[in-house]
Amino acid sequence: MEKGVILNSIDLFDATCAKVLAQLYSQFPLEIEEFRDHCLGLYDQQSISDETNRKIKAVNQSIVFLKQNGYISYYGWEGHDTGIPKYNMKLTAKGLEKLRSTPDGLVGNDDDLGSALAKRVQSLKNLSVDEVVKNLVKAVFTGGA
């Protein structure tokens, strides 16, 4: 993991959503039996700092947002959405429908939103987010660019 990279909260949201949705889409219909937020590589779990705590909270709340808005489902530790680990994480019908869409100008001829997102996430470093990823994530939530 790169040291000293500071992502603002919206960048952490975009990176988290992109990575979670891309992973779930790539392995659909299989679920992630046990998911741990730090596996996204967006913060150093060994670090103890205010910045790391901010990142941990932003990543966690981004995943909760995906669940609360019906894109993914999972079971948290003892029934808590914010718990770690998260169990049986998978795309919902709504999440799958969004990722199978093909917004004009955002994806290639043979790609849907989920495939384009998965390809782009694979090509990025752990702590990076670019305009393409931001636009793909925006398309998931708005239906277009």
Side-chain angles (χ1 to χ4, degrees):
M1 173 163 16
E2 297 172 35
K3 300 283 184 191
V5 175
I6 298 176
L7 297 176
N8 65 37
S9 293
I10 196 69
D11 287 343
L12 282 166
F13 173 81
D14 288 339
T16 301
C17 291
K19 287 178 173 234
V20 168
L21 293 172
Q23 183 177 353
L24 290 172
Y25 187 75
S26 295
Q27 69 183 55
F28 188 81
L30 303 175
E31 61 191 24
I32 301 171
E33 291 181 22
E34 185 176 297
F35 180 88
R36 296 183 182 273
D37 298 2
H38 70 271
C39 292
L40 295 175
L42 295 172
Y43 58 84
D44 180 0
Q45 79 176 68
Q46 303 302 319
S47 173
I48 301 172
S49 70
D50 290 342
E51 179 63 17
T52 299
N53 289 336
R54 182 189 67 82
K55 288 179 179 181
I56 290 169
K57 188 172 183 175
V59 168
N60 188 279
Q61 290 302 306
S62 297
I63 296 169
V64 171
F65 174 89
L66 289 171
K67 180 180 182 184
Q68 289 176 342
N69 287 279
Y71 294 94
I72 66 173
S73 67
Y74 62 83
Y75 302 100
W77 179 255
E78 296 182 353
H80 299 284
D81 279 351
T82 57
I84 299 171
K86 295 164 178 66
Y87 299 102
N88 302 325
M89 184 184 281
K90 61 186 171 186
L91 285 176
T92 63
K94 176 181 176 177
L96 181 62
E97 178 184 7
K98 288 287 192 170
L99 293 174
R100 291 184 108 176
S101 68
T102 54
D104 292 336
L106 279 181
V107 297
N109 293 338
D110 297 330
D111 284 340
D112 53 28
L113 188 55
S115 297
L117 193 58
K119 287 177 186 175
R120 191 63 186 186
V121 165
Q122 286 178 346
S123 70
L124 293 174
K125 295 179 182 176
N126 272 350
L127 293 176
S128 66
V129 62
D130 63 10
E131 287 305 312
V132 174
V133 168
K134 288 179 182 189
N135 286 333
L136 291 171
V137 170
K138 186 188 306 181
V140 170
F141 301 123
T142 64

